[in-house]
Amino acid sequence: MEMMMEETEVGIPFYHAVGKEVEVFEQVYHNKLPILLKGPTGTGKSRFVEFMANKLRKKLITISCHEETSSTDLIGRFIIKGAETIWLDGPLTTAVKNGHILYLDEVAEARPDVIVAIHSLTDHRRELFIDKLGETYKAHEDFMLVASFNPGYQRGFKELKPSTRQRFVALSFNYPEPKIEQEILVQETGIDDDMAKRLVMLGNKVRNLNELGLTETVSTRLLVDASKLFQSGLAKRLAVKVAVMEPLSDEKQTLEALYDLTDLMI
């Protein structure tokens, strides 16, 4: 099964801290604890992890979890190479052995055996048992497990069991305050302050429209996308409609209401 995985070397991602999350992450890392990032899509969880990996000067391996992600995908498997069968470490095993940060994005979407596999890494043991090899590996001193999930923002969403959640230190993420969100748009895309302000006002207006019954709402990521399109020459309203409104719904009446709001505010 194909798995979404990214290995990130040290870079310089932009991240605007909105609270004490940087300090918390650093203390969690130094105390060798796992951390869970909670919050809706597009609120900066993944960017925050990239920023912290850069700050700590650690290699980051990101796994985008989905319903087919299994423990075998993470731990490793035997493969046939020529005339012999060899073991190939998965990303989790690689991170455990080498002291990388492993980020399980949307961990609740993974199969239950993934949660079972990481349990012994989320308590005092900090070890990984590979049953196919009959071996147990102690985690490298610099290894860190980071997970994220989106609690209750999606129709048919999957929850994490309390027994799993209580193994992690947890941080909640939400949409930034308007002034900070405007700064993010300007910093990320070079858009002017007035347009950034209008986009943020529009985003907050949609976020408060509970009557539309949206399963997801306007993320900072979508506002950044619209800003990029506008900056590269697309008409303002068209940029907002295709980058912000279209991803939110397929319902004609809902989209018409969102389009009307865009025409009014942009």
Side-chain angles (χ1 to χ4, degrees):
M1 175 57 62
E2 185 179 350
M3 177 176 56
M4 294 289 289
M5 180 180 79
E6 296 178 30
E7 292 192 15
T8 307
E9 299 289 354
V10 174
I12 313 176
F14 172 74
Y15 178 78
H16 194 305
V18 296
K20 298 288 187 181
E21 66 268 33
V22 173
E23 180 183 349
V24 169
F25 194 101
E26 287 179 325
Q27 291 298 328
V28 169
Y29 174 78
H30 291 307
N31 282 282
K32 299 177 174 54
L33 299 170
I35 191 166
L36 179 67
L37 311 180
K38 307 183 297 179
T41 299
T43 49
K45 300 188 294 295
S46 296
R47 177 61 66 91
F48 173 63
V49 179
E50 292 174 11
F51 172 79
M52 290 308 304
N54 171 69
K55 194 173 193 315
L56 294 167
R57 302 196 66 79
K58 300 303 301 178
K59 187 172 184 177
L60 172 66
I61 300 177
T62 298
I63 307 296
S64 298
C65 299
H66 51 78
E67 64 274 5
E68 297 296 327
T69 304
S70 68
S71 60
T72 298
D73 293 324
L74 296 185
I75 293 172
R77 53 171 49 89
F78 285 107
I79 63 170
I80 298 173
K81 189 174 184 180
E84 59 179 345
T85 301
I86 63 171
W87 172 262
L88 185 65
D89 283 340
L92 175 60
T93 305
T94 299
V96 166
K97 288 181 177 180
N98 295 287
H100 304 324
I101 295 175
L102 183 83
Y103 175 40
L104 298 176
D105 189 16
E106 298 292 357
V107 66
E109 295 297 319
R111 282 167 35 176
D113 60 317
V114 168
I115 304 299
V116 173
I118 65 173
H119 266 192
S120 58
L121 287 166
T122 57
D123 58 27
H124 66 282
R125 292 171 289 178
R126 275 176 59 87
E127 62 185 30
L128 175 66
F129 175 65
I130 303 180
D131 59 348
K132 292 179 181 177
L133 298 177
E135 294 184 23
T136 298
Y137 292 93
K138 284 286 185 182
H140 187 287
E141 190 167 318
D142 293 340
F143 169 74
M144 184 182 196
L145 180 64
V146 183
S148 72
F149 91 116
N150 183 347
Y153 290 88
Q154 294 170 312
R155 192 174 292 153
F157 69 94
K158 299 176 183 177
E159 268 290 1
L160 284 179
K161 292 180 179 178
S163 59
T164 299
R165 292 171 62 140
Q166 290 174 22
R167 290 174 173 270
F168 291 84
V169 174
L171 271 173
S172 289
F173 282 68
N174 213 318
Y175 304 110
E177 293 294 318
K179 185 177 179 182
I180 293 175
E181 196 163 32
Q182 288 170 37
E183 290 178 18
I184 291 171
L185 297 187
V186 172
Q187 180 72 31
E188 284 278 287
T189 70
I191 197 170
D192 66 75
D193 290 331
D194 179 65
M195 188 60 185
K197 185 176 181 179
R198 287 200 222 173
L199 283 171
V200 170
M201 287 176 62
L202 176 62
N204 281 315
K205 182 72 173 177
V206 176
R207 289 166 189 164
N208 292 318
L209 288 177
N210 297 324
E211 63 270 21
L212 289 181
L214 298 172
T215 55
E216 291 281 5
T217 190
V218 177
S219 66
T220 304
R221 181 189 302 144
L222 293 184
L223 296 180
V224 168
D225 290 346
S227 300
K228 288 178 178 177
L229 291 176
F230 168 60
Q231 282 295 86
S232 65
L234 206 59
K236 294 178 184 178
R237 290 176 179 173
L238 181 57
V240 173
K241 287 175 181 178
V242 298
V244 180
M245 302 311 179
E246 283 287 346
L248 295 181
S249 178
D250 297 318
E251 297 291 333
K252 184 180 178 182
Q253 287 185 322
T254 300
L255 282 173
E256 286 176 353
L258 293 172
Y259 283 169
D260 288 343
L261 192 60
T262 301
D263 292 342
L264 185 67
M265 299 185 68
I266 299 297

